[in-house]
Amino acid sequence: MYSYLFGRWAVSNGFSTNDIFLKFQSELQRRFSKMLSLASNRQHRLQESNRFFHFLREADEIEDWIKEKGTIATSEDYGRDLEHVEMLMKKFEDFTRDLMSSGERVASLTAEAQGMLNENHSDSEVKKQTEPRILAQKYLYLGLIQKK
């Protein structure tokens, strides 16, 4: 509607059709360029958001796993008889093996967090808080393993 009214006004005020076409072409190109820029920015933010929420999901899963396994590491139960002690030792060996194999997962999460921090990801502050919390839990349990 704006274009039609402007065109009529321009013709009635003596502007040439070439001037009108150039003005419309220029305005359309400006708007289109702005739209492309907005779309590109939106795509970038969506990709960042996707990466961030994958990070949070993995961090939550690792944190839950560490908490779940923490009961084994912090247990003060040393058995009532030979069978019970052997069962506890088997559980503890399985826990130790799982904890050591989870190191790759924690390292991967740490690398992802560091990568996003280095790239000035828009959600960097949350990652700064999440990564140390997970690492602290892991090293707490590693320390408990060494004590036992």
Side-chain angles (χ1 to χ4, degrees):
M1 184 69 171
Y2 165 77
S3 300
Y4 174 75
L5 292 175
F6 175 76
R8 290 196 49 128
W9 175 85
V11 169
S12 67
N13 286 303
F15 288 92
S16 72
T17 54
N18 284 345
D19 290 339
I20 296 169
F21 288 139
L22 290 174
K23 173 71 176 158
F24 282 125
Q25 181 184 12
S26 172
E27 181 63 18
L28 287 175
Q29 285 177 334
R30 185 189 68 75
R31 285 183 179 180
F32 186 72
S33 292
K34 185 175 181 179
M35 186 66 66
L36 285 176
S37 175
L38 289 170
S40 176
N41 189 22
R42 173 106 171 117
Q43 181 181 20
H44 176 72
R45 289 292 308 216
L46 285 170
Q47 288 170 340
E48 272 191 339
S49 187
N50 185 330
R51 186 175 177 192
F52 174 66
F53 284 111
H54 277 284
F55 169 84
L56 284 181
R57 178 187 293 163
E58 182 69 7
D60 285 345
E61 287 176 7
I62 290 173
E63 210 168 2
D64 289 346
W65 181 87
I66 289 173
K67 285 176 185 175
E68 174 188 318
K69 297 295 182 174
T71 57
I72 296 170
T74 58
S75 173
E76 294 296 321
D77 184 3
Y78 296 103
R80 295 178 305 273
D81 55 33
L82 180 62
E83 289 81 23
H84 189 230
V85 170
E86 287 174 347
M87 188 252 332
L88 290 173
M89 287 177 69
K90 169 83 170 92
K91 275 186 172 181
F92 189 73
E93 288 168 3
D94 291 345
F95 164 73
T96 304
R97 188 174 36 258
D98 287 349
L99 187 61
M100 294 304 157
S101 67
S102 75
E104 186 177 306
R105 220 173 145 192
V106 173
S108 174
L109 184 70
T110 301
E112 180 68 15
Q114 192 58 51
M116 287 189 274
L117 289 170
N118 292 344
E119 296 167 10
N120 292 320
H121 190 282
S122 58
D123 297 304
S124 293
E125 287 306 311
V126 175
K127 285 179 281 309
K128 283 181 187 176
Q129 297 166 7
T130 305
E131 176 193 0
R133 194 174 67 232
I134 290 171
L135 290 175
Q137 285 180 346
K138 178 185 177 193
Y139 291 117
L140 168 74
Y141 294 134
L142 284 173
L144 289 171
I145 286 173
Q146 290 173 351
K147 283 183 183 178
K148 288 192 175 194

